[in-house]
Every structure is written in structure tokens, then in C-alpha cells.
Amino acid sequence: MVSVYKHEPFTDFSDVNNREAFQAALTKVEAALGGKYDLVVGGERIETEEKIVSTNPANREEVIGTVSKATRDIAEKAINAADEAFAEWRKWDPAARAGILFRAAAIVRRRKHEFSAYLVKEAGKPWKEADADTAEAIDFMEYYARQMLAIAEGKPVNSRVGEHNEYFYTPMGVTVVISPWNFAFAIMCGTTVAPLVTGNTVVLKPASATPVVAAKFVEVLEEAGLPKGVVNYVPGSGAEVGDFLVDHPKTKLITFTGSRDVGVRIYERAAKVHPGQFHLKRVIAEMGGKDTVIVEKDADLDVAAEAIVVSAFGFSGQKCSAGSRAVVHADVYDELLGKVEALVKQLTVGDPVTYDNYMGPVIDRAAFDKITGYIEIGKGEGRLVVGGNSDDSKGYFIEPTVFADVSPDARIMQEEIFGPVLAIAKANNFDEALDIANNTEYGLTGAVITNNREYIERAKRDFHVGNLYFNRNCTGAIVGYQPFGGFKMSGTDSKAGGPDYLLLHMQGKTVSEML
């Protein structure tokens, strides 16, 4: 029987010993900054002339590491290495593959603060956000290893007299993993180890903004005993390397987390059958959201204000699950707005190496320019309540910004900003609130703050999101507790961290024998 895994606990930073331990990890990582990282293809380290220079978004002058940049020729080599390794890896005992994940999880657990410190430096994550990111990576490894053990023998099917039938799962082949920067460890790790433990091989193209964390994780997998060629590390540009990997006839599965536009483009490209391709590619895609917190007139307004602020401004709103919209009943609108404003004014913005800073920078120049552009748009679409300022003199810092009295059809209510910008609209009743919540092309997360059981039951049916929360924030899904994935243009609703996620990386096979 497979043991039940309880998720990795978050670090209690109110304990001075934990704060000192984390500070020591930051000091250790700072001493190692500026290192060089090669590509890994078939177990071979490859250095290229062209590099990706990873810098600290809180301090652009600080180089986290210099990473070799893959070319199309190297991407071809990586696909072939993964294809060759698949021939043996697919035959490994599932328990042995799971064992590598268990060992990798143990290694990361021992170095937890170190990995979190890299996230502080490379992704600009505050301590608590970085700690949760690393904990989730551990959870993915532990959970998927246990899930593989549970499905290793397949599922029972009926047999008749004189006939024996079996139903089991078999791996698909070469998997291209295109991972994001916002959960640079957790999502990168989860989308890599899921195909691995199911017997597939991986070509990993991490986000160019956070390639060092991915390189460190590949080292962990090697230390845990992963054979050469099973994971190949090839950071590079989407135009040169990403498209090539998606289009390659040997690619069987593509798992992507990122923007809607890129996800749709990958989905479209993957549908085309290329010469030498004798299969249809499968795509697992998580593509963002425009998520809403609904507040009814019976709600506990302190709970509601906290849920709105945490949902909107955790990690500077750079989460696909971020609650960037709030829809509030007219009867409590003004009172709740005052509570939200008061909480936001307490939030601190600065370099996340300092524990007390609630928000750090946004990830890069492109994000900074996009978000500040939306703030200017918001000034014409709503009433600026708090925030609106920014500072790019050293890093990419933007104040938590709240706009009130926004029309449901306004751009800042419809388009994914992916930054610390909250738009608030008014609703006269629950029907209107639900209509506004459902009026975007996305359907990832949502929250309803109410004690009305009728509204809760209606929201379960009629709030069209993949992850729905009541009387809490709409971010922070935990592996094995809240399987994560969205409806509509938020992706394929593949439910990462859920009981059927691994099956998406495999093919069901029926074997029937006459006795």
C-alpha cells in the first residue's frame, strides 16, 4: 500500500532561529553568484559562445549566473539523446524511477533554504513566497512518486471464462518541458518529474529569466541517480529553440506553463503532423488567468479584505492564480474598499533579501513596462485608490495599486496584467457578481466570500473556474490537496498535483489473452 504524503511544511519565520538559518543560506548563495552553467545533453556538459545572463530583478547590476544558450543544432542533439535514453528508461521498474524522485526530494529538503535563497535572488521572491515555492517542488516529487507506485500495476478490468485481460499504462516518449519564471522551482520541477517518473524522457527549456534555479535542479537529479540523457537541459530562445522542439517529429508530449498567446501558439503548432512523425502530440498547457474574488453583503469584511489583498499582491501579483479583480456587493462596497486600502498601505515594497519586505520587484524590464502601462490605462478606467508609483532606478519595483469603480468590461478588468494591479467593481446582487466573474476568456481560479449556503452551492455549479475557494484567498493551491488547472483559455485543466495528472503522460494499453 502506498503511504499518504502530507505536504512539506512552510518555514515559520517568526522563529528567530529559522530567520538566522535563512539569512545564512542567502549569504552562502551570494558568495556563489556569477557562476557559469553549461547545457546538459546526454549527460555531457556543453558550453556555447552565446550566453543568457541571469540578473537579480531587485538589483540589475547583480549577476546570478551566466548560462550557455542552446542553438537549434544542440536542441536536435538533445531530442536525439532523449529518444535514445527512452529505449531503456521506459523499461525501468516504476518503483526505481519513483526512488530517484524520493532521493531528489530528500536532497532538496536538506538544502531547502539554499534553493529558496536562489529564488529570492533570481526571481525576486520574498522569503515566504520563495519558501513556499521550494516546498511545492518537494511536494511534487514526493506526491508524483507515490502516485506512480499507485498506478504502476494498471487498473482492474473484467475477464471472461477462458480469457485474461489486463489494462495498464505505458510511457509516451520524448517530452518537451517549457517552464515559467514565476514558480521557477515548483512548476519547473513538477512538469519535469511527472514525465520522468512515468517513464518518459525530457528536454527541459526553462524560462530565460530563471535558468540558474533549473540548472541547480538538474544537478540534484544527477546526484539522485538519474541516468544520462533522461533529462536534457537546454535553455534558449522560444523563436529559435522552443518552436523547433515543439515541431520536432520525435516529440511526443509538450508540457507548457506561460502566457495565453504562447500557449495557443504551441497548441496550434503541435497539431501539425511533420514528415517522419507517426503519432499525434499531446499538449498539457497552463496559460494564465484573470481571477476574481466575489464579496457578498453577508461576508466577514475583514476576511474579505485580507483575501483580496493576499490574492492580488502576493509575489507582486505575478501568479496566474492572482486575484486581480474583486467584485463587491454594493451594500458593503465602500466599507470594504476602506479596509482594502488600509491593508494595502501597510504593505512594504523593496529588495526581498530583507525579510520584512512583503513585495519585491517584478521580473524584468518588459514586465515593468507592461504593468506601468496598464496603470496608466487604469487611471482612465477607474479611480486610483492607492499606489500607482514605480521605481526602476536599481530594480523593477512597482507599488501595489488599487483601482475602484471599474467597469466590468474595462481593459484592466479583462486583460491579464501579471503584476500588482487590482481592479474593483460593484455588483447589486449575486447574479450580477457571478456574471462579472465569468465575463473573461479565462477560468483559472476564483473565490467567494460569503456565509450564504445557497450562494456557495450556486457558485460551485456556475462560477466557471478550475479552482474555486470559499472564504479565503484564491492563490496557494497545495499539491495533493487542491489539484490545479483551469477552464476556458486558462489551459487544458490538466490538474497538476492531482490524482490523474500522471495519466496525461502515459497511454493506456489493453492486453487480452485466450487461455
Short mmCIF file of all heavy atoms in Angstrom, two decimals, residues 43-98:
data_model
loop_
_atom_site.label_atom_id
_atom_site.label_comp_id
_atom_site.label_asym_id
_atom_site.label_seq_id
_atom_site.Cartn_x
_atom_site.Cartn_y
_atom_site.Cartn_z
N GLY A 43 23.97 13.77 -20.81
CA GLY A 43 24.93 13.69 -19.72
C GLY A 43 26.20 14.48 -19.95
O GLY A 43 27.05 14.60 -19.06
N GLU A 44 26.34 15.06 -21.13
CA GLU A 44 27.53 15.83 -21.50
C GLU A 44 27.30 17.31 -21.24
O GLU A 44 26.24 17.86 -21.58
CB GLU A 44 27.85 15.60 -22.97
CG GLU A 44 29.00 16.44 -23.51
CD GLU A 44 29.12 16.37 -25.02
OE1 GLU A 44 28.34 15.63 -25.66
OE2 GLU A 44 29.99 17.08 -25.57
N ARG A 45 28.29 17.98 -20.63
CA ARG A 45 28.25 19.43 -20.45
C ARG A 45 28.70 20.11 -21.74
O ARG A 45 29.73 19.74 -22.30
CB ARG A 45 29.18 19.84 -19.32
CG ARG A 45 28.51 20.18 -17.99
CD ARG A 45 27.68 19.10 -17.43
NE ARG A 45 27.02 19.51 -16.18
CZ ARG A 45 26.26 18.71 -15.48
NH1 ARG A 45 26.03 17.48 -15.89
NH2 ARG A 45 25.68 19.13 -14.37
N ILE A 46 27.91 21.06 -22.20
CA ILE A 46 28.22 21.77 -23.45
C ILE A 46 28.21 23.27 -23.17
O ILE A 46 27.22 23.81 -22.69
CB ILE A 46 27.19 21.44 -24.55
CG1 ILE A 46 27.19 19.94 -24.85
CG2 ILE A 46 27.49 22.25 -25.81
CD1 ILE A 46 26.12 19.51 -25.84
N GLU A 47 29.32 23.91 -23.48
CA GLU A 47 29.40 25.37 -23.36
C GLU A 47 29.24 25.98 -24.74
O GLU A 47 29.83 25.52 -25.72
CB GLU A 47 30.72 25.80 -22.74
CG GLU A 47 30.82 27.31 -22.55
CD GLU A 47 32.11 27.75 -21.88
OE1 GLU A 47 32.98 26.88 -21.63
OE2 GLU A 47 32.25 28.96 -21.63
N THR A 48 28.43 27.02 -24.83
CA THR A 48 28.24 27.72 -26.10
C THR A 48 28.78 29.14 -25.99
O THR A 48 28.95 29.68 -24.89
CB THR A 48 26.75 27.77 -26.48
OG1 THR A 48 26.03 28.45 -25.45
CG2 THR A 48 26.19 26.37 -26.66
N GLU A 49 29.03 29.72 -27.15
CA GLU A 49 29.57 31.08 -27.17
C GLU A 49 28.52 32.09 -26.71
O GLU A 49 28.81 33.01 -25.94
CB GLU A 49 30.05 31.42 -28.59
CG GLU A 49 30.74 32.76 -28.68
CD GLU A 49 31.33 33.01 -30.05
OE1 GLU A 49 31.54 32.03 -30.80
OE2 GLU A 49 31.57 34.19 -30.38
N GLU A 50 27.29 31.91 -27.16
CA GLU A 50 26.23 32.83 -26.77
C GLU A 50 25.69 32.44 -25.40
O GLU A 50 25.47 31.25 -25.12
CB GLU A 50 25.10 32.82 -27.81
CG GLU A 50 24.13 33.96 -27.62
CD GLU A 50 23.13 34.07 -28.77
OE1 GLU A 50 23.22 33.27 -29.72
OE2 GLU A 50 22.26 34.95 -28.69
N LYS A 51 25.44 33.44 -24.55
CA LYS A 51 25.05 33.18 -23.16
C LYS A 51 23.73 33.86 -22.82
O LYS A 51 23.34 34.86 -23.43
CB LYS A 51 26.12 33.69 -22.18
CG LYS A 51 27.55 33.26 -22.49
CD LYS A 51 27.77 31.79 -22.24
CE LYS A 51 29.25 31.45 -22.43
NZ LYS A 51 29.54 30.02 -22.31
N ILE A 52 23.08 33.33 -21.80
CA ILE A 52 21.98 34.00 -21.12
C ILE A 52 22.54 34.50 -19.80
O ILE A 52 23.06 33.72 -19.00
CB ILE A 52 20.80 33.05 -20.86
CG1 ILE A 52 20.20 32.54 -22.17
CG2 ILE A 52 19.73 33.74 -20.02
CD1 ILE A 52 19.18 31.43 -21.99
N VAL A 53 22.48 35.80 -19.58
CA VAL A 53 22.98 36.37 -18.32
C VAL A 53 21.78 36.60 -17.40
O VAL A 53 20.92 37.43 -17.69
CB VAL A 53 23.74 37.68 -18.56
CG1 VAL A 53 24.23 38.25 -17.22
CG2 VAL A 53 24.92 37.44 -19.50
N SER A 54 21.72 35.84 -16.32
CA SER A 54 20.63 35.95 -15.37
C SER A 54 20.99 36.99 -14.32
O SER A 54 22.03 36.89 -13.67
CB SER A 54 20.36 34.60 -14.70
OG SER A 54 19.38 34.73 -13.69
N THR A 55 20.12 38.00 -14.16
CA THR A 55 20.40 39.07 -13.21
C THR A 55 19.29 39.15 -12.17
O THR A 55 18.18 38.63 -12.36
CB THR A 55 20.53 40.44 -13.91
OG1 THR A 55 19.32 40.71 -14.63
CG2 THR A 55 21.70 40.43 -14.87
N ASN A 56 19.61 39.80 -11.08
CA ASN A 56 18.67 39.98 -9.97
C ASN A 56 17.68 41.10 -10.32
O ASN A 56 18.10 42.24 -10.54
CB ASN A 56 19.47 40.35 -8.71
CG ASN A 56 18.61 40.55 -7.49
OD1 ASN A 56 17.39 40.55 -7.57
ND2 ASN A 56 19.25 40.71 -6.35
N PRO A 57 16.38 40.81 -10.38
CA PRO A 57 15.43 41.87 -10.75
C PRO A 57 15.32 42.99 -9.71
O PRO A 57 14.79 44.05 -10.00
CB PRO A 57 14.10 41.12 -10.89
CG PRO A 57 14.27 39.88 -10.07
CD PRO A 57 15.72 39.52 -10.18
N ALA A 58 15.84 42.73 -8.50
CA ALA A 58 15.86 43.79 -7.48
C ALA A 58 17.12 44.65 -7.58
O ALA A 58 17.19 45.73 -7.00
CB ALA A 58 15.77 43.18 -6.08
N ASN A 59 18.11 44.14 -8.33
CA ASN A 59 19.38 44.85 -8.49
C ASN A 59 20.01 44.39 -9.80
O ASN A 59 20.70 43.38 -9.85
CB ASN A 59 20.32 44.55 -7.31
CG ASN A 59 21.67 45.21 -7.46
OD1 ASN A 59 21.90 46.00 -8.37
ND2 ASN A 59 22.60 44.87 -6.56
N ARG A 60 19.76 45.14 -10.84
CA ARG A 60 20.15 44.71 -12.18
C ARG A 60 21.65 44.51 -12.33
O ARG A 60 22.09 43.81 -13.25
CB ARG A 60 19.67 45.73 -13.21
CG ARG A 60 18.17 45.83 -13.35
CD ARG A 60 17.79 46.69 -14.55
NE ARG A 60 18.32 48.05 -14.46
CZ ARG A 60 17.71 49.05 -13.85
NH1 ARG A 60 16.55 48.84 -13.24
NH2 ARG A 60 18.24 50.26 -13.82
N GLU A 61 22.44 45.13 -11.47
CA GLU A 61 23.89 45.00 -11.57
C GLU A 61 24.41 43.67 -11.03
O GLU A 61 25.56 43.30 -11.28
CB GLU A 61 24.57 46.16 -10.81
CG GLU A 61 24.18 47.54 -11.32
CD GLU A 61 24.51 47.73 -12.79
OE1 GLU A 61 25.63 47.34 -13.19
OE2 GLU A 61 23.66 48.25 -13.53
N GLU A 62 23.56 42.96 -10.30
CA GLU A 62 23.99 41.71 -9.68
C GLU A 62 23.70 40.53 -10.60
O GLU A 62 22.54 40.24 -10.90
CB GLU A 62 23.29 41.52 -8.33
CG GLU A 62 23.80 40.32 -7.55
CD GLU A 62 23.20 40.27 -6.16
OE1 GLU A 62 21.97 40.10 -6.03
OE2 GLU A 62 23.97 40.42 -5.18
N VAL A 63 24.75 39.84 -11.04
CA VAL A 63 24.60 38.70 -11.95
C VAL A 63 24.45 37.42 -11.12
O VAL A 63 25.30 37.09 -10.30
CB VAL A 63 25.81 38.60 -12.89
CG1 VAL A 63 25.72 37.33 -13.74
CG2 VAL A 63 25.89 39.83 -13.77
N ILE A 64 23.36 36.72 -11.35
CA ILE A 64 23.12 35.45 -10.65
C ILE A 64 23.97 34.34 -11.26
O ILE A 64 24.56 33.52 -10.57
CB ILE A 64 21.63 35.07 -10.70
CG1 ILE A 64 20.76 36.24 -10.24
CG2 ILE A 64 21.36 33.82 -9.88
CD1 ILE A 64 21.08 36.76 -8.86
N GLY A 65 24.03 34.32 -12.58
CA GLY A 65 24.83 33.32 -13.26
C GLY A 65 24.82 33.55 -14.76
O GLY A 65 23.95 34.25 -15.28
N THR A 66 25.80 32.97 -15.43
CA THR A 66 25.89 33.04 -16.89
C THR A 66 25.67 31.64 -17.43
O THR A 66 26.40 30.71 -17.09
CB THR A 66 27.26 33.57 -17.33
OG1 THR A 66 27.47 34.86 -16.74
CG2 THR A 66 27.33 33.70 -18.83
N VAL A 67 24.65 31.50 -18.27
CA VAL A 67 24.19 30.19 -18.71
C VAL A 67 24.37 30.07 -20.22
O VAL A 67 23.99 30.97 -20.98
CB VAL A 67 22.70 30.00 -18.34
CG1 VAL A 67 22.21 28.63 -18.77
CG2 VAL A 67 22.50 30.18 -16.83
N SER A 68 24.94 28.96 -20.65
CA SER A 68 25.08 28.73 -22.08
C SER A 68 23.70 28.66 -22.74
O SER A 68 22.74 28.14 -22.17
CB SER A 68 25.85 27.44 -22.35
OG SER A 68 27.22 27.61 -22.09
N LYS A 69 23.63 29.19 -23.94
CA LYS A 69 22.36 29.29 -24.65
C LYS A 69 22.32 28.27 -25.78
O LYS A 69 23.22 28.22 -26.62
CB LYS A 69 22.20 30.70 -25.21
CG LYS A 69 20.84 31.00 -25.81
CD LYS A 69 20.77 32.47 -26.23
CE LYS A 69 19.39 32.81 -26.76
NZ LYS A 69 19.32 34.24 -27.18
N ALA A 70 21.29 27.46 -25.78
CA ALA A 70 21.19 26.38 -26.77
C ALA A 70 20.91 26.92 -28.16
O ALA A 70 20.22 27.93 -28.34
CB ALA A 70 20.09 25.40 -26.38
N THR A 71 21.46 26.24 -29.14
CA THR A 71 21.18 26.51 -30.55
C THR A 71 20.24 25.43 -31.08
O THR A 71 19.94 24.44 -30.40
CB THR A 71 22.47 26.49 -31.37
OG1 THR A 71 23.03 25.15 -31.28
CG2 THR A 71 23.48 27.49 -30.85
N ARG A 72 19.82 25.61 -32.31
CA ARG A 72 18.95 24.60 -32.91
C ARG A 72 19.68 23.26 -33.07
O ARG A 72 19.09 22.20 -32.87
CB ARG A 72 18.44 25.10 -34.27
CG ARG A 72 17.41 24.21 -34.90
CD ARG A 72 16.68 24.91 -36.04
NE ARG A 72 15.87 26.02 -35.55
CZ ARG A 72 14.98 26.66 -36.30
NH1 ARG A 72 14.80 26.31 -37.57
NH2 ARG A 72 14.28 27.66 -35.80
N ASP A 73 20.96 23.30 -33.40
CA ASP A 73 21.72 22.06 -33.53
C ASP A 73 21.81 21.32 -32.20
O ASP A 73 21.70 20.09 -32.15
CB ASP A 73 23.13 22.35 -34.05
CG ASP A 73 23.14 22.75 -35.52
OD1 ASP A 73 22.13 22.48 -36.22
OD2 ASP A 73 24.15 23.32 -35.98
N ILE A 74 22.01 22.08 -31.12
CA ILE A 74 22.07 21.43 -29.80
C ILE A 74 20.70 20.91 -29.40
O ILE A 74 20.58 19.84 -28.78
CB ILE A 74 22.62 22.43 -28.76
CG1 ILE A 74 24.09 22.72 -29.06
CG2 ILE A 74 22.45 21.90 -27.35
CD1 ILE A 74 24.70 23.81 -28.21
N ALA A 75 19.63 21.63 -29.75
CA ALA A 75 18.28 21.15 -29.48
C ALA A 75 18.02 19.83 -30.19
O ALA A 75 17.41 18.90 -29.63
CB ALA A 75 17.25 22.20 -29.90
N GLU A 76 18.51 19.71 -31.42
CA GLU A 76 18.38 18.45 -32.16
C GLU A 76 19.13 17.34 -31.44
O GLU A 76 18.62 16.20 -31.29
CB GLU A 76 18.94 18.63 -33.58
CG GLU A 76 19.02 17.36 -34.42
CD GLU A 76 17.67 16.90 -34.92
OE1 GLU A 76 16.86 17.75 -35.32
OE2 GLU A 76 17.42 15.67 -34.91
N LYS A 77 20.31 17.67 -30.97
CA LYS A 77 21.11 16.68 -30.23
C LYS A 77 20.39 16.26 -28.94
O LYS A 77 20.41 15.08 -28.57
CB LYS A 77 22.48 17.28 -29.91
CG LYS A 77 23.46 16.30 -29.29
CD LYS A 77 24.85 16.94 -29.13
CE LYS A 77 25.84 15.93 -28.54
NZ LYS A 77 27.20 16.52 -28.40
N ALA A 78 19.74 17.21 -28.28
CA ALA A 78 19.02 16.91 -27.04
C ALA A 78 17.82 16.00 -27.30
O ALA A 78 17.56 15.05 -26.54
CB ALA A 78 18.56 18.21 -26.38
N ILE A 79 17.09 16.26 -28.37
CA ILE A 79 15.95 15.40 -28.73
C ILE A 79 16.42 13.98 -29.00
O ILE A 79 15.83 13.00 -28.53
CB ILE A 79 15.22 15.96 -29.96
CG1 ILE A 79 14.43 17.22 -29.59
CG2 ILE A 79 14.31 14.91 -30.57
CD1 ILE A 79 13.07 16.99 -28.98
N ASN A 80 17.51 13.86 -29.74
CA ASN A 80 18.03 12.52 -30.06
C ASN A 80 18.55 11.81 -28.83
O ASN A 80 18.37 10.59 -28.67
CB ASN A 80 19.13 12.63 -31.12
CG ASN A 80 18.60 13.03 -32.49
OD1 ASN A 80 17.45 12.70 -32.82
ND2 ASN A 80 19.38 13.73 -33.28
N ALA A 81 19.19 12.57 -27.92
CA ALA A 81 19.68 11.96 -26.68
C ALA A 81 18.52 11.45 -25.83
O ALA A 81 18.57 10.36 -25.25
CB ALA A 81 20.51 12.97 -25.89
N ALA A 82 17.47 12.24 -25.76
CA ALA A 82 16.29 11.84 -25.00
C ALA A 82 15.62 10.62 -25.64
O ALA A 82 15.15 9.71 -24.95
CB ALA A 82 15.30 12.99 -24.91
N ASP A 83 15.57 10.60 -26.96
CA ASP A 83 14.97 9.48 -27.68
C ASP A 83 15.76 8.19 -27.45
O ASP A 83 15.18 7.11 -27.22
CB ASP A 83 14.89 9.82 -29.16
CG ASP A 83 14.10 8.80 -29.96
OD1 ASP A 83 12.97 8.47 -29.54
OD2 ASP A 83 14.60 8.33 -31.00
N GLU A 84 17.07 8.30 -27.47
CA GLU A 84 17.92 7.12 -27.22
C GLU A 84 17.78 6.64 -25.78
O GLU A 84 17.70 5.43 -25.52
CB GLU A 84 19.38 7.46 -27.53
CG GLU A 84 19.66 7.70 -29.00
CD GLU A 84 21.05 8.25 -29.25
OE1 GLU A 84 21.87 8.26 -28.30
OE2 GLU A 84 21.32 8.70 -30.39
N ALA A 85 17.75 7.57 -24.83
CA ALA A 85 17.63 7.18 -23.42
C ALA A 85 16.28 6.55 -23.12
O ALA A 85 16.16 5.70 -22.23
CB ALA A 85 17.84 8.41 -22.53
N PHE A 86 15.25 6.94 -23.86
CA PHE A 86 13.90 6.41 -23.64
C PHE A 86 13.85 4.90 -23.82
O PHE A 86 13.10 4.21 -23.12
CB PHE A 86 12.93 7.10 -24.60
CG PHE A 86 11.51 6.58 -24.50
CD1 PHE A 86 10.76 6.78 -23.35
CD2 PHE A 86 10.93 5.91 -25.57
CE1 PHE A 86 9.46 6.30 -23.25
CE2 PHE A 86 9.63 5.44 -25.49
CZ PHE A 86 8.89 5.64 -24.33
N ALA A 87 14.65 4.38 -24.73
CA ALA A 87 14.62 2.94 -25.01
C ALA A 87 14.85 2.10 -23.76
O ALA A 87 14.23 1.04 -23.59
CB ALA A 87 15.68 2.60 -26.07
N GLU A 88 15.70 2.56 -22.86
CA GLU A 88 15.97 1.83 -21.61
C GLU A 88 15.15 2.37 -20.44
O GLU A 88 14.67 1.61 -19.62
CB GLU A 88 17.46 1.87 -21.28
CG GLU A 88 18.33 1.08 -22.24
CD GLU A 88 17.94 -0.40 -22.28
OE1 GLU A 88 17.62 -0.95 -21.20
OE2 GLU A 88 17.94 -0.98 -23.39
N TRP A 89 15.04 3.68 -20.36
CA TRP A 89 14.35 4.29 -19.21
C TRP A 89 12.91 3.81 -19.09
O TRP A 89 12.40 3.59 -18.00
CB TRP A 89 14.41 5.81 -19.35
CG TRP A 89 13.75 6.58 -18.24
CD1 TRP A 89 12.66 7.38 -18.35
CD2 TRP A 89 14.14 6.64 -16.87
NE1 TRP A 89 12.34 7.94 -17.14
CE2 TRP A 89 13.24 7.50 -16.21
CE3 TRP A 89 15.17 6.04 -16.13
CZ2 TRP A 89 13.33 7.77 -14.84
CZ3 TRP A 89 15.26 6.33 -14.78
CH2 TRP A 89 14.35 7.18 -14.14
N ARG A 90 12.25 3.63 -20.21
CA ARG A 90 10.86 3.18 -20.20
C ARG A 90 10.69 1.81 -19.57
O ARG A 90 9.60 1.45 -19.11
CB ARG A 90 10.30 3.17 -21.63
CG ARG A 90 10.98 2.17 -22.56
CD ARG A 90 10.48 2.30 -23.99
NE ARG A 90 9.09 1.90 -24.11
CZ ARG A 90 8.70 0.63 -24.32
NH1 ARG A 90 9.59 -0.33 -24.47
NH2 ARG A 90 7.42 0.35 -24.40
N LYS A 91 11.78 1.02 -19.56
CA LYS A 91 11.71 -0.34 -19.03
C LYS A 91 12.05 -0.41 -17.54
O LYS A 91 11.93 -1.47 -16.93
CB LYS A 91 12.66 -1.25 -19.82
CG LYS A 91 12.34 -1.35 -21.31
CD LYS A 91 13.41 -2.14 -22.04
CE LYS A 91 13.19 -2.11 -23.55
NZ LYS A 91 14.29 -2.81 -24.27
N TRP A 92 12.50 0.68 -16.99
CA TRP A 92 12.83 0.67 -15.56
C TRP A 92 11.60 0.34 -14.72
O TRP A 92 10.47 0.72 -15.06
CB TRP A 92 13.34 2.05 -15.14
CG TRP A 92 14.82 2.25 -15.33
CD1 TRP A 92 15.56 1.97 -16.43
CD2 TRP A 92 15.72 2.83 -14.38
NE1 TRP A 92 16.87 2.34 -16.24
CE2 TRP A 92 16.99 2.87 -14.98
CE3 TRP A 92 15.57 3.34 -13.09
CZ2 TRP A 92 18.11 3.37 -14.33
CZ3 TRP A 92 16.69 3.85 -12.44
CH2 TRP A 92 17.94 3.86 -13.05
N ASP A 93 11.84 -0.37 -13.64
CA ASP A 93 10.78 -0.62 -12.67
C ASP A 93 10.23 0.72 -12.19
O ASP A 93 11.01 1.60 -11.79
CB ASP A 93 11.37 -1.41 -11.49
CG ASP A 93 10.31 -1.84 -10.50
OD1 ASP A 93 9.32 -1.12 -10.30
OD2 ASP A 93 10.48 -2.92 -9.89
N PRO A 94 8.92 0.93 -12.22
CA PRO A 94 8.36 2.19 -11.74
C PRO A 94 8.80 2.55 -10.32
O PRO A 94 8.98 3.73 -10.01
CB PRO A 94 6.84 1.96 -11.81
CG PRO A 94 6.67 0.96 -12.89
CD PRO A 94 7.87 0.05 -12.79
N ALA A 95 9.00 1.54 -9.48
CA ALA A 95 9.46 1.82 -8.12
C ALA A 95 10.87 2.39 -8.12
O ALA A 95 11.21 3.23 -7.27
CB ALA A 95 9.41 0.55 -7.28
N ALA A 96 11.69 1.97 -9.08
CA ALA A 96 13.05 2.51 -9.17
C ALA A 96 13.03 3.95 -9.66
O ALA A 96 13.80 4.80 -9.18
CB ALA A 96 13.90 1.63 -10.10
N ARG A 97 12.15 4.24 -10.62
CA ARG A 97 12.01 5.63 -11.06
C ARG A 97 11.49 6.50 -9.93
O ARG A 97 11.97 7.62 -9.72
CB ARG A 97 11.06 5.71 -12.27
CG ARG A 97 11.58 4.98 -13.52
CD ARG A 97 10.85 5.42 -14.77
NE ARG A 97 9.42 5.16 -14.71
CZ ARG A 97 8.80 4.13 -15.31
NH1 ARG A 97 9.51 3.26 -16.01
NH2 ARG A 97 7.50 3.99 -15.22
N ALA A 98 10.52 5.99 -9.19
CA ALA A 98 9.99 6.75 -8.05
C ALA A 98 11.08 6.97 -7.00
O ALA A 98 11.14 8.03 -6.37
CB ALA A 98 8.80 6.01 -7.43
#
